Amino acid sequence: MVGNVGEGALLSAVANIKAITPPDIRSRKGGTPLVCLTAYTTPIAKLVDRHCDIVLVGDSVGMVLHGLPSTLGVTLEMMIMHGQAVRRGLEQALMIVDMPFGSYEESPEQAFRNAARVMAQTGCAAVKLEGGEAMAETIRFLAARGVPVMGHVGLTPQAVNTFGGYRVQGRGGDAERVGADALAVSEAGAFAVVLEKVPEVLARRITAEVAIPTIGIGASAACDGQILVVDDMLGIFGDFRPKFVKRYAELGEIAEAAIAAYAQDVRDRRFPAAEHLFGDAPGTVNGGEGA
Ligand code: KIV
């Protein structure tokens, strides 16, 4: 029993015939670059929907919203809860949910069981999982059973302990390994692949070699599309700032200034002011407004 997606999510998924699909994304190889962002909540999903081809409910949610030190502590339940929130905010973009660490690596069967639960309970149309050659069999198993998969190679954050940090992957002699990973994912039936933190020359070569769109993050404009963590590009997440992030706003600073202004107003009794007050009864002084 995998449970059911909420009625609202199911209706929007079924009724929205214009929603972008995994085959649509696959067919965009070599075309206008694909625009992708993460989202974890309904309000952000509503903001990004009409600007993006793909909205990823990334397991980065663990670090960005829950303050975890890495993505390793993210659970399937967290991904499902955030997936359901994002689903309520999307009409057009393809929604993909990340499979968290430990939910798919054991066997293709484990991956299918958990991916089916994620799809049923969130209404997403695809999942993403990390890993190259080692995950090829699993990707083939899922793709053959109705689970579209986006791959993720290069720096795969769930393997941070194996890599010894969030290091650039595929430099020098390591390029062959990352290239073989991308090819394996593509040949196994993934419809797109994220390339994270690899040198431009390698990203260009992989993009030319694989049949599916490459989505870069720290992998240059040679890729078929780009993805960023939305809180990074909006300047909300400030714990660290990867070199590959371009900040399009400093919303964290704006929010802090607003919070400081509110705190000062409260301490000075400037808030609430007359326009925020309720009167005793309509028609009396200060009482023109209803409930
Ligand atoms: O978890 C995530 O947000 C991701 C993207 C940054 C690719 O995997």
Side-chain angles (χ1 to χ4, degrees), residues 61-83:
V61 68
M63 300 172 79
V64 174
L65 289 198
H66 293 266
L68 293 173
S70 74
T71 56
L72 300 183
V74 175
T75 63
L76 208 56
E77 286 67 31
M78 286 163 76
M79 297 311 302
I80 289 171
M81 191 188 74
H82 287 285

Side-chain angles (χ1 to χ4, degrees), residues 38 40 56 58-60 98 128 130 152 194 196 217 227 229:
T38 65
Y40 318 115
L56 172 70
D59 63 350
S60 51
D98 248 343
K128 175 166 83 61
E130 297 184 6
H152 185 158
V194 170
E196 180 161 351
I217 175 161
I227 187 161
V229 168

Side-chain angles (χ1 to χ4, degrees), residues 67-249:
L68 293 173
S70 74
T71 56
L72 300 183
V74 175
T75 63
L76 208 56
E77 286 67 31
M78 286 163 76
M79 297 311 302
I80 289 171
M81 191 188 74
H82 287 285
Q84 288 170 339
V86 168
R87 179 71 268 163
R88 291 178 204 118
L90 296 184
E91 288 185 355
Q92 173 208 291
L94 171 65
M95 174 172 144
I96 303 176
V97 175
D98 248 343
M99 298 297 290
F101 182 61
S103 72
Y104 63 95
E105 300 91 331
E106 208 175 303
S107 65
E109 288 79 6
Q110 181 212 24
F112 180 78
R113 196 164 48 248
N114 286 326
R117 183 175 162 209
V118 167
M119 291 179 79
Q121 295 187 356
T122 70
C124 71
V127 299
K128 175 166 83 61
L129 55 82
E130 297 184 6
E133 288 189 291
M135 283 299 127
E137 187 194 343
T138 294
I139 293 171
R140 188 169 287 109
F141 190 90
L142 295 181
R145 287 163 177 76
V147 181
V149 178
M150 179 155 83
H152 185 158
V153 303
L155 174 63
T156 46
Q158 292 173 11
V160 60
N161 292 308
T162 309
F163 293 140
Y166 297 97
R167 304 176 196 289
V168 176
Q169 300 294 308
R171 277 190 169 138
D174 193 35
E176 290 317 309
R177 176 186 65 85
V178 178
D181 276 345
L183 207 55
V185 162
S186 170
E187 288 175 351
F191 67 90
V193 60
V194 170
L195 295 185
E196 180 161 351
K197 222 169 169 182
V198 300
E200 178 177 12
V201 60
L202 178 59
R204 191 176 296 282
R205 199 189 91 197
I206 290 174
T207 300
E209 275 175 12
V210 301
I212 56 177
T214 56
I215 311 294
I217 175 161
S220 88
C223 296
D224 296 301
Q226 298 297 322
I227 187 161
L228 283 176
V229 168
V230 72
D231 295 63
D232 282 342
M233 56 86 75
L234 292 177
I236 301 172
F237 182 69
D239 287 3
F240 54 87
R241 189 173 179 164
K243 180 180 176 186
F244 56 73
V245 171
K246 177 173 174 182
R247 286 242 175 131
Y248 286 83

